[in-house]
Amino acid sequence: HDSCNMMNQVVQPGKLPLALRITTRRRGEALPALKSRRSRCKVVKVRAEAYVSSADEKPPVLQHMSPEDRALALRLLQKRRERRRVFSFLDWRRHRSQSRYIHHIQTIKESGVVRSIARPVMIVAALSAVVAMYNYLFIVKPPWLPAWLPTPLTVAMEPIQLTTIALSLLLVFRTNASYARWEEARKSFGAITTVSRDIARQVLSWFPNSNEGREGKDTACRWLIALAKSSMVHLRDEHDLRQEVGSVLLEEELARLEASGNRPMYCIQVLSQIFATSGLPYNLVVCLDENLTRLVNAVYACERILGTPIPLSYTRHTARFLMAWLFCIPFTLWPYSGWAMVPLAALISFVLLGIEEIGIFLEEPFSVLALEHLCGSCADCIQSMSKSDKEISERLGGEGLQAQ
């Protein structure tokens, strides 16, 4: 969260911070020298994370990257997309399999959480090793350290034990609050796709089977699919609207949608106009309008989740408290465990930092949820209903609802 101000500077290539300087090949500019491939990949990773977490509608980070950096950044984004999945029956069987413990240990290197906390865990482990070495050199006979050096610092166990409860409550509340946001986001975006299917069912059943009615049905179905996909684009910064909706809307409709300020609300407004001018009976228009109101509430709920994180003071205080607590661990464990405190401190930091990282990971749920699958399933369902509508109407001998 503290890096938001730094991310905003990415828009101006000439004023980029050192960690985010872009490798560009423009006239009159020299390529910044990167010492090694490893440092180059590290810079690319930072830039890719900035691209993913940017709040701008059109993040400019990739525009200033060299082709090689852009390819690496896109691969990182692809790995993030691969983690968004919808479970099948086979996945559920694997999920509850008795061999899941061995599988999770074998794939620990592929964990995004582990990669995210690797650096702070290594810092705690390195501090523990330094403290252990200093204590060992101080007590070894004959002494290897000068006599003027201070005695090793030791922290009593009682302060650690007393603050453990407070730290546990902070982490539990952080994780529960993040999961509640994930659950609400799942329900809110699911409401968009579910209500869209219900509106498509009503439109296909109630609109007349005349030429104007068929045109109204097709138009409404197109905008319902566009609503789901434009909502996904609205809640993420890694999608292109034209690429997602270009095969659904007409070119003129797509141009109007791109020019709108709030694309999901524009889709709902178009649907509202279609229903108001459809000539349906008043009571049916009211039913459709109630569903549109549900769509508005669902879109607003998604925007609220995206725009209002957990209070930053709580997040920052939890991170600072956790790191201070972990830095005290090496000075506490030496009298009890000796050299074994190095792996113990690393294990403790891995567990606690992992819990905190999961809370951060779930706090912005739209980057975790499989929105592509939800939108694709909604589009397939609406298109399937639209194709079978004429066949069903002819088989049942219905001529549709005639406008009064």
Side-chain angles (χ1 to χ4, degrees), residues 39-340:
S39 62
R40 183 180 182 85
C41 293
K42 195 175 297 183
V43 173
V44 172
K45 182 177 180 180
V46 172
R47 278 180 260 167
E49 292 175 350
Y51 167 73
V52 173
S53 60
S54 173
D56 298 336
E57 183 177 358
K58 294 182 179 180
V61 178
L62 290 180
Q63 300 176 4
H64 303 287
M65 285 186 179
S66 65
E68 181 183 3
D69 291 348
R70 190 180 298 112
L72 290 174
L74 291 176
R75 281 199 294 269
L76 291 172
L77 294 177
Q78 182 63 28
K79 291 182 179 179
R80 187 170 187 176
R81 294 190 184 105
E82 290 174 356
R83 292 198 294 267
R84 306 165 186 154
R85 55 186 303 181
V86 176
F87 267 33
S88 62
F89 294 109
L90 178 60
D91 293 324
W92 281 116
R93 284 195 294 270
R94 292 175 178 173
H95 186 67
R96 58 177 178 262
S97 172
Q98 295 181 354
S99 61
R100 63 183 181 274
Y101 303 105
I102 299 176
H103 173 73
H104 295 331
I105 293 176
Q106 292 175 343
T107 58
I108 192 171
K109 294 182 179 180
E110 302 175 7
S111 171
V113 174
V114 173
R115 289 196 296 266
S116 299
I117 66 175
R119 181 175 297 179
V121 170
M122 292 175 61
I123 292 175
V124 174
L127 177 62
S128 301
V130 171
V131 172
M133 179 62 69
Y134 186 80
N135 279 272
Y136 175 76
L137 295 178
F138 190 83
I139 65 176
V140 71
K141 301 297 183 180
W144 289 7
L145 297 178
W148 52 266
L149 288 177
T151 58
L153 177 64
T154 302
V155 179
M157 183 64 71
E158 286 75 12
I160 300 297
Q161 293 175 342
L162 292 174
T163 55
T164 300
I165 299 176
L167 180 61
S168 301
L169 291 176
L170 286 173
L171 291 177
V172 168
F173 177 80
R174 182 74 174 79
T175 307
N176 288 345
S178 298
Y179 177 77
R181 290 170 56 86
W182 181 89
E183 178 71 9
E184 186 180 2
R186 182 180 66 86
K187 292 180 179 179
S188 299
F189 196 89
I192 295 176
T193 58
T194 303
V195 176
S196 296
R197 297 184 190 191
D198 189 43
I199 292 178
R201 176 191 62 83
Q202 293 172 333
V203 167
L204 295 174
S205 300
W206 296 347
F207 273 50
N209 286 328
S210 59
N211 293 333
E212 293 181 358
R214 295 298 304 179
E215 182 179 356
K217 291 180 181 182
D218 295 338
T219 304
C221 289
R222 287 200 308 271
W223 282 102
L224 286 170
I225 298 174
L227 170 62
K229 294 191 174 184
S230 63
S231 298
M232 178 183 66
V233 176
H234 185 65
L235 298 171
R236 290 180 181 170
D237 62 349
E238 56 187 86
H239 298 283
D240 180 69
L241 181 66
R242 179 170 290 273
Q243 182 179 0
E244 297 293 337
V245 192
S247 60
V248 178
L249 296 178
L250 303 178
E251 185 62 30
E252 181 183 356
E253 296 172 337
L254 180 58
R256 294 200 304 266
L257 180 61
E258 288 181 325
S260 61
N262 190 310
R263 285 137 181 191
M265 289 304 303
Y266 182 82
C267 294
I268 295 176
Q269 183 65 25
V270 171
L271 290 169
S272 180
Q273 292 293 333
I274 293 174
F275 301 154
T277 59
S278 62
L280 292 176
Y282 176 76
N283 60 326
L284 300 184
V285 175
V286 170
C287 292
L288 291 169
D289 191 69
E290 290 177 352
N291 271 336
L292 291 180
T293 302
R294 294 172 59 190
L295 287 176
V296 172
N297 294 334
V299 171
Y300 168 73
C302 293
E303 291 178 341
R304 173 171 49 81
I305 294 172
L306 181 64
T308 55
I310 295 175
L312 300 182
S313 57
Y314 185 92
T315 302
R316 292 167 182 167
H317 182 71
T318 302
R320 292 162 184 164
F321 182 17
L322 176 58
M323 292 306 300
W325 192 89
L326 291 175
F327 285 160
C328 293
I329 287 294
F331 302 98
T332 303
L333 294 180
W334 173 259
Y336 299 93
S337 55
W339 280 99

